[in-house]
């Protein structure tokens, strides 16, 4: 959850803070999230009698694996003893197992044996032929579900590991505190009950969103998947500016964190378009107007959008898909297709030009 900074030491100040509208909004939001999480956990435990799945196996124990597994145990969605982990980095795996009570496997075959859900949380570059061969040699149940939290890799590639039921997801690091945003899609052979179980797992560390079209996951990677990095960089810039002006770093940090938190909660609660909210604090010839002028002059919006498009393209590249998309790219693709479509055997150059011109009209170029 969002972490509110502690109150100052005096009781009077704490009481004043606790009764403020901003604090109440934050408390209301956090309470709502807590109730939602408790309901999810309660529902999961009732239906699964102890856990959503009989055995969950997690291959990889990095930050995202920890972010996904920790809330499962903390919220009672899955007992720690029913989660088995494996990582070639034994030190990291041992620490995670020790901290939460997970079981540890000695190798991949032992990890996935009799597992109902196999979570793949390794780096994308580790999905090599040798990796898939190791999985294929393992005894994977026909009904086992593969849940990938690996960036950029499409659903089809996991069939190389012997999986038939596959879920591809894109969580983000706020999942660590139960405030993640996860977008997911699956193969059509998951039945209604299996999808419900996956939704329970993904919802225990934040909000989840199912999409029928897998291509939206690559898009979501550029928004929610990598989005926290953009926010943290904005935070860093604002804090540094505050220090440059004369604030102590801890005070500047408090100002920025609560400004981010309050602005987000305000936008969520009001439901207003961000532009309306921005205009409401931008007085004519005022301080905010001067700041906005500099942001617009520095192409703030364009830089953010270009960064997101770059992230989206990289996600497509990691999945071996055509990444020539977005502003300044689509026309190049259309032009290339049009030229290749033109009859190469036709030696009449003028006729070829006419064909290209006609096809350009058809695609609106």
């Amino acid at each position: 959850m969002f972490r509110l900074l502690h109150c100052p030491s005096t009781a009077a100040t704490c009481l004043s803070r606790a009764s403020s509208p901003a604090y109440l909004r934050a408390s209301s939001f956090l309470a709502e999230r807590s109730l939602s999480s408790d309901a999810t956990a309660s529902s999961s435990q009732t239906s699964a009698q102890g856990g959503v799945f009989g055995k969950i196996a997690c291959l990889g124990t990095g930050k995202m694996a920890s972010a996904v597994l920790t809330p499962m145990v903390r919220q009672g969605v899955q007992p720690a003893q029913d989660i088995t982990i494996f990582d070639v980095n034994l030190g990291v795996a041992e620490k995670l197992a020790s901290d939460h009570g997970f079981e540890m496997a000695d190798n991949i075959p032992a990890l996935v044996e009799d597992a109902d859900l196999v979570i793949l949380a390794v780096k994308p570059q580790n999905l090599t032929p040798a990796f898939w061969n190791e999985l294929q040699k393992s005894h994977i149940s026909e009904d086992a579900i593969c849940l990938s939290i690996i960036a950029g890799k499409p659903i089809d590639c996991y069939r190389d590991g012997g999986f038939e039921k596959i879920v591809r997801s894109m969580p983000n690091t706020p999942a660590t505190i139960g405030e993640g945003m996860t977008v997911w899609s699956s193969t059509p052979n998951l039945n209604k009950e299996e999808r419900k179980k996956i939704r329970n797992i993904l919802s225990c560390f934040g909000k989840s969103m199912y999409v029928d079209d897998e291509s939206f996951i690559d898009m979501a990677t550029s928004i929610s998947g990598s989005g926290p990095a953009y926010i943290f960089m904005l935070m860093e810039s604002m804090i540094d500016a505050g220090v440059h002006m004369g604030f102590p770093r801890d005070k500047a940090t408090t100002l920025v964190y609560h400004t981010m938190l309050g602005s987000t909660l305000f936008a969520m609660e009001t439901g207003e378009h961000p532009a309306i909210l921005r205009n409401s604090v931008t007085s004519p010839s005022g301080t905010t107007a001067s700041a906005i002028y500099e942001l617009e002059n520095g192409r703030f919006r364009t830089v953010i959008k270009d960064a997101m498009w770059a992230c989206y393209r990289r996600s497509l590249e990691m999945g071996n898909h055509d990444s020539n998309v977005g502003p300044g790219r689509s026309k190049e693709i259309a032009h290339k297709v049009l030229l290749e479509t033109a009859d190469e055997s036709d030696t009449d150059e003028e006729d070829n030009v006419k064909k290209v011109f006609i096809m350009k009209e058809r695609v609106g170029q």
Side-chain angles (χ1 to χ4, degrees):
M1 295 181 180
F2 289 112
R3 298 194 184 279
L4 296 176
L5 299 180
H6 68 279
C7 290
S9 56
T10 63
T13 307
C14 283
L15 185 60
S16 175
R17 282 272 311 279
S19 61
S20 69
Y23 188 91
L24 292 174
R25 281 197 298 270
S27 300
S28 173
F29 175 75
L30 296 177
E32 181 183 340
R33 283 290 302 122
S34 179
L35 289 172
S36 175
S37 298
D38 290 344
T40 299
S42 175
S43 172
S44 301
Q45 287 178 311
T46 301
S47 61
Q49 296 183 348
V52 178
F53 290 95
K55 174 184 175 181
I56 292 180
C58 185
L59 183 47
T61 55
K63 291 181 180 179
M64 284 310 304
S66 177
V68 168
L69 296 177
T70 302
M72 292 185 199
V73 177
R74 187 171 58 231
Q75 297 186 25
V77 174
Q78 186 76 12
Q81 64 268 23
D82 291 336
I83 298 176
T84 305
I85 62 176
F86 173 77
D87 198 305
V88 292
N89 188 332
L90 291 179
V92 175
E94 287 174 353
K95 185 179 187 311
L96 187 61
S98 174
D99 288 346
H100 302 287
F102 301 145
E103 299 293 322
M104 277 189 63
D106 295 326
N107 50 55
I108 292 179
L111 173 74
V112 301
E113 185 176 5
D114 299 325
D116 302 296
L117 178 68
V118 179
I119 301 175
L120 296 184
V122 300
K123 298 292 185 184
Q125 59 267 29
N126 291 337
L127 299 184
T128 62
F131 176 86
W132 296 126
N133 289 337
E134 191 73 14
L135 273 174
Q136 288 172 355
K137 291 187 296 184
S138 308
H139 178 65
I140 300 176
S141 168
E142 290 183 2
D143 291 326
I145 300 173
C146 170
L147 170 59
S148 166
I149 61 172
I150 303 171
K153 296 301 180 181
I155 285 176
D156 284 344
C157 85
Y158 299 104
R159 300 187 194 279
D160 293 339
F163 296 103
E164 293 299 325
K165 297 182 177 182
I166 304 164
V167 175
R168 179 187 172 190
S169 69
M170 187 67 245
N172 60 15
T173 51
T176 308
I177 58 169
E179 287 301 332
M181 179 67 239
T182 304
V183 181
W184 63 286
S185 188
S186 69
T187 50
N189 55 352
L190 268 73
N191 59 42
K192 184 177 180 180
E193 183 62 27
E194 289 169 332
R195 291 194 184 194
K196 181 181 178 181
K197 288 182 177 181
I198 293 297
R199 187 174 289 107
N200 284 339
I201 289 290
L202 298 179
S203 297
C204 78
F205 45 84
K207 186 174 181 60
S208 67
M209 179 187 296
Y210 175 79
V211 292
D212 285 317
D213 187 346
E214 184 189 355
S215 65
F216 281 103
I217 297 183
D218 290 307
M219 299 177 199
T221 299
S222 71
I223 304 173
S224 56
S226 297
Y230 319 153
I231 303 300
F232 297 147
M233 181 171 279
L234 177 58
M235 286 181 176
E236 181 185 3
S237 300
M238 292 177 68
I239 291 169
D240 286 346
V243 173
H244 192 198
M245 292 174 189
F247 271 106
R249 184 165 292 275
D250 63 327
K251 302 300 182 184
T253 299
T254 299
L255 288 171
V256 171
Y257 283 2
H258 281 270
T259 299
M260 290 282 184
L261 174 61
S263 300
T264 300
L265 294 175
F266 185 41
M268 293 174 69
E269 185 173 305
T270 62
E272 295 280 12
H273 191 285
I276 295 176
L277 297 177
R278 175 178 56 79
N279 285 336
S280 69
V281 294
T282 308
S283 303
S285 192
T287 56
T288 305
S290 296
I292 296 296
Y293 174 82
E294 292 296 336
L295 289 173
E296 297 285 18
N297 232 17
R299 301 173 65 249
F300 181 77
R301 298 171 189 266
T302 304
V303 169
I304 295 296
K305 293 173 184 176
D306 285 348
M308 293 174 67
W309 275 105
C311 182
Y312 174 38
R313 292 183 189 112
R314 182 56 185 148
S315 182
L316 292 173
E317 290 170 359
M318 292 168 70
N320 296 320
H321 291 148
D322 186 1
S323 63
N324 213 349
V325 297
R329 304 292 184 99
S330 299
K331 290 184 178 180
E332 295 175 13
I333 295 177
H335 184 62
K336 181 180 178 182
V337 171
L338 292 171
L339 291 177
E340 290 178 349
T341 308
D343 188 2
E344 295 179 359
S345 63
D346 194 339
T347 56
D348 189 340
E349 184 176 347
E350 183 179 349
D351 190 37
N352 265 342
V353 170
K354 289 180 181 178
K355 289 180 180 179
V356 171
F357 178 76
I358 292 172
M359 294 187 70
K360 278 186 176 182
E361 285 189 327
R362 290 177 182 172
V363 298
Q365 295 293 324

